[in-house]
Amino acid sequence: MSLFKDFFIALSNHTYLNKIAKKMGPQMGANRVVAGNTIHQLIETIQYLNDYNISVTVDSLGEFVSTREESIKAKEEILEIIDAIYNNNVKAHMSVKISQLGSEFDLNLAYENMREILLKADKNGKMPINIDTEKYDSLSKIQHIIDRLKGEFKNVGTVIQAYLYEADDLIDKYPDITFETSERCL
């Protein structure tokens, strides 16, 4: 099973295949698990789930960011979503990938983007923001940013990917911040 999992994780990290997936994903059934392609659709979906007493974690897709402009655009989209969640009074919070904020090419830019997101979320009802641990080769960058932010913000947490060998160690390392565990479905 490990070889199978490793194969699909490697495919998920392939830039060209990700571009194709972004383009073809909705036609291949991704819309069944995507809450919406617009903020309006997202809020409608969250409200529908809230009506059934289900709180929502929103993950703005887009971890394959390679320029400063793309990272700022991703940050601005996340800020818009935070405002929409707050202004529409729905029960939801955000999960953010540091890579979509620029960590793969500028760790300080990613930190500044994440800090701005946390400030906005704090201002908008102290909304929790989880930092997704993503993939193994980005783990040290993610921990670096979490370590810088956790003393300043109380609304920061992390999502620990269950398939990471270090998952238990990460949970032990960050006992004072909120976190969720998740398992990637392959």
Side-chain angles (χ1 to χ4, degrees):
M1 186 68 159
S2 180
L3 182 61
F4 186 71
K5 178 178 78 173
D6 291 345
F7 172 73
F8 280 101
I9 289 173
L11 285 178
S12 74
N13 291 322
H14 192 280
T15 304
Y16 178 71
L17 292 177
N18 274 283
K19 285 182 183 179
I20 292 172
K22 285 179 188 177
K23 185 176 182 179
M24 301 300 294
Q27 293 96 341
M28 296 177 72
N31 282 338
R32 295 184 320 168
V33 295
V34 174
N37 292 317
T38 67
I39 291 178
H40 178 73
Q41 290 171 342
L42 171 66
I43 295 300
E44 284 182 347
T45 302
I46 294 170
Q47 186 58 60
Y48 173 79
L49 293 169
N50 286 174
D51 289 345
Y52 289 94
N53 206 25
I54 300 170
S55 183
V56 177
T57 299
V58 177
D59 191 341
S60 178
L61 301 177
E63 47 269 66
F64 293 95
V65 170
S66 58
T67 67
R68 178 178 180 81
E69 292 75 23
E70 289 175 325
S71 71
I72 298 212
K73 181 179 180 213
K75 175 196 67 180
E76 293 299 327
E77 288 174 359
I78 292 166
L79 293 174
E80 285 182 55
I81 293 169
I82 291 170
D83 277 338
I85 289 170
Y86 180 74
N87 292 333
N88 287 281
N89 197 31
V90 293
K91 294 177 193 153
H93 66 277
M94 295 288 303
S95 181
V96 177
K97 291 173 175 50
I98 295 294
S99 61
Q100 76 187 126
L101 300 179
S103 67
E104 300 303 308
F105 58 89
D106 187 340
L107 200 54
N108 197 53
L109 172 65
Y111 166 77
E112 291 299 329
N113 283 338
M114 190 69 223
R115 189 172 184 283
E116 190 174 337
I117 289 167
L118 286 163
L119 286 168
K120 170 69 82 171
D122 188 60
K123 178 183 169 196
N124 287 356
K126 301 197 180 308
M127 178 191 297
I129 302 292
N130 286 319
I131 298 173
D132 192 341
T133 54
E134 302 183 66
K135 53 189 177 181
Y136 177 77
D137 59 345
S138 298
L139 201 51
S140 65
K141 295 173 186 174
I142 295 163
Q143 289 182 73
H144 175 77
I145 290 178
I146 291 171
D147 290 341
R148 285 182 71 184
L149 294 167
K150 73 177 184 171
E152 183 178 358
F153 295 95
K154 299 294 182 209
N155 60 329
V156 64
T158 186
V159 177
I160 308 291
Q161 300 300 340
Y163 75 86
L164 293 172
Y165 293 115
E166 295 88 352
D168 287 338
D169 294 336
L170 291 170
I171 292 169
D172 291 340
K173 181 178 179 179
Y174 299 113
D176 55 337
I177 64 174
T178 60
F179 65 88
E180 297 178 8
T181 58
S182 71
E183 186 170 309
R184 295 228 188 247
C185 298
L186 299 176

